[in-house]
Amino acid sequence: MPAIIKPEDIWVIIPAFNEGPVIRGVVAHIRQCGYPNILVVDDGSTDDTAAQAELGGAMVISHLVNRGAGAVAQTGLYYARKKGIRFVAQMDADGQHHPEDLARMMTRMAKGDCDIAIGSRFVEKKGDVPWIRVLYNQISNVFTNWFCRRWYSDTQSGFRLLNRHAIERLELHIDGFGYCSEMIIQAEMLNLKVAEIPISVSYTDYSMSKGQNLHTGVITAINLIWKLVFTPKN
Amino acid sequence: MDFEIYQLIVPLIGLVFIMNMLRRFALSRAGWQETLLGFGFWLGVILVAIFPDTISNLIARIFGIKSNINAIIFFCLGLIFFIQYKLFFMIKEQQSALTRLTRKLALEENAKEENQ
């Protein structure tokens, strides 16, 4: 485990579906923060997401058809495995995450006591998360933590830093948003060490229109139960 | 025993399906499992159509249900749930296969672009 993780050691992988209006700015901001390696996995967008991401300076891999956030995350991990990438940072494409927070996650990972650093919006109460998101997340937390040995404060966070150990071992099977929970549950099963690092988020009208809502939350829960109960071999 | 018109029509339809299934099996368009399952299903439908009271009373007696009509309803509900479960499982399998294919194509395309 290296004592210092340099920004160029990290690949920021961003799952994106119809994020044309914002993806260029998000990629450019990450680059400005000193992270040169950015991979946008375009999940069958019907707009110009891929072109905008390339204009921002990212490399793009495109799914031919929309398969969901979890499928995209696993595609990113496959790419990282193939390329021998040592660290992968997963961030949302809607601009809610601040790449500045990545430094804190890198510092924690450099200590060598975690394989996955989850950026948590709730480990420090900052009050910048809309109540409806807090509600969805708390319900998801109860649901996910039920399958876990310890309690995680933000199981649905899309901002995560993974080391090579985690990249090589994780095998996500849930195509949709349920992958966030699946990754944590699987990490515990694989004895990967998980840490939670406080992050801040910026919600805009745009980002509020994205992500999970009650409908996707119910579907996510059903998919998670299905995977965990009916196909435990996965 | 009164003979109703459906007791002629339903077995005929069943026979058509059985013949079609055997034809598909002979042409190697269907496996033996699918053929056996289909054959059993349509044979069951034919037998129920010809001997409705005898079979429904038998089901009611086996499962301890008082009325033969209730027995048929419970039996059909069970069958529908089983088929629904099978379909849901098949859809999940197909979705998983589609994801793997999509990922493989995306990564191959990326590798091609990098080699150029």
Side-chain angles (χ1 to χ4, degrees):
Chain A
M1 187 63 62
I4 299 171
I5 302 171
K6 291 177 280 183
E8 51 269 30
D9 294 333
I10 295 176
W11 273 75
V12 179
I13 297 182
I14 306 172
F17 174 63
N18 287 347
E19 302 281 6
V22 297
I23 192 70
R24 186 176 177 181
V26 170
V27 170
H29 181 52
I30 296 168
R31 286 175 67 86
Q32 278 168 12
C33 289
Y35 301 96
N37 305 314
I38 303 167
L39 170 68
V40 171
V41 185
D42 173 30
D43 193 21
S45 296
T46 50
D47 67 0
D48 60 345
T49 296
Q52 290 297 329
E54 280 178 341
L55 285 172
M59 208 190 85
V60 176
I61 290 180
S62 291
H63 280 182
L64 284 175
V65 287
N66 179 250
R67 297 307 306 143
V72 169
Q74 188 59 38
T75 300
L77 292 182
Y78 271 40
Y79 178 82
R81 272 181 215 167
K82 203 171 83 175
K83 295 290 174 186
I85 292 166
R86 293 163 63 203
F87 299 96
V88 161
Q90 297 176 331
M91 288 176 74
D92 286 358
D94 57 12
Q96 65 170 275
H97 295 137
H98 300 160
E100 294 84 354
D101 289 330
L102 202 46
R104 210 177 309 145
M105 295 163 86
M106 288 159 62
T107 306
R108 177 64 191 268
M109 190 158 278
K111 286 182 183 171
D113 66 346
C114 71
D115 299 303
I116 301 172
I118 299 174
S120 172
R121 294 161 286 183
F122 307 112
V123 76
E124 282 178 5
K125 303 273 182 213
K126 289 188 176 174
D128 48 4
V129 183
W131 70 269
I132 191 75
R133 285 290 161 105
V134 174
L135 179 69
Y136 289 150
N137 278 286
Q138 290 309 317
I139 294 170
S140 301
N141 283 350
V142 171
F143 194 74
T144 306
N145 285 313
W146 195 61
F147 294 97
C148 296
R149 287 192 290 270
R150 55 172 271 214
W151 180 269
Y152 298 93
S153 65
D154 194 356
T155 57
Q156 303 308 299
S157 172
F159 195 3
R160 296 171 181 204
L161 181 63
L162 286 72
N163 67 9
R164 184 77 195 163
H165 196 54
I167 292 166
E168 281 177 351
R169 278 161 185 76
L170 288 170
E171 198 68 44
L172 305 171
H173 298 282
I174 295 178
D175 288 344
F177 284 111
Y179 86 94
C180 294
S181 300
E182 187 189 18
M183 186 188 286
I184 294 172
I185 295 165
Q186 210 176 90
E188 283 204 346
M189 289 166 76
L190 295 166
N191 290 319
L192 297 173
K193 288 169 280 184
V194 182
E196 289 193 290
I197 316 296
I199 57 163
S200 53
V201 281
S202 299
Y203 283 102
T204 59
D205 288 343
Y206 179 82
S207 63
M208 283 300 288
S209 70
K210 294 277 180 173
Q212 296 201 58
N213 52 36
L214 189 60
H215 175 251
T216 56
V218 171
I219 300 291
T220 298
I222 291 170
N223 280 332
L224 190 63
I225 290 176
W226 180 266
K227 283 287 173 193
L228 293 173
V229 178
F230 292 104
T231 54
K233 66 180 178 355
N234 288 333
Chain B
M1 187 176 83
D2 293 332
F3 196 78
E4 304 289 344
I5 188 74
Y6 79 88
Q7 290 177 296
L8 181 66
I9 294 171
V10 173
L12 281 176
I13 292 171
L15 279 176
V16 169
F17 275 100
I18 286 173
M19 295 296 285
N20 186 45
M21 214 161 325
L22 292 174
R23 188 180 65 86
R24 278 165 51 82
F25 180 69
L27 294 171
S28 301
R29 287 184 193 163
W32 67 268
Q33 283 172 312
E34 188 188 337
T35 308
L36 203 65
L37 193 74
F39 184 81
F41 175 77
W42 285 111
L43 189 68
V45 169
I46 290 168
L47 288 174
V48 169
I50 297 172
F51 309 107
D53 291 335
T54 314
I55 291 174
S56 60
N57 281 323
L58 181 70
I59 294 171
R61 224 176 23 249
I62 289 169
F63 291 102
I65 301 165
K66 282 180 183 171
S67 138
N68 62 337
I69 300 296
N70 284 346
I72 290 292
I73 290 169
F74 287 139
F75 181 75
C76 289
L77 278 175
L79 193 68
I80 288 166
F81 275 117
F82 174 73
I83 292 168
Q84 178 72 18
Y85 171 82
K86 292 288 284 183
L87 280 174
F88 189 65
F89 192 79
M90 281 167 67
I91 289 168
K92 286 280 169 197
E93 290 281 313
Q94 292 294 317
Q95 284 182 337
S96 183
L98 179 60
T99 298
R100 289 197 300 273
L101 179 65
T102 304
R103 180 176 297 132
K104 192 168 188 288
L105 288 171
L107 290 169
E108 279 180 2
E109 188 64 29
N110 171 261
K112 260 187 226 165
E113 282 171 15
E114 283 186 345
N115 288 336
Q116 279 171 2

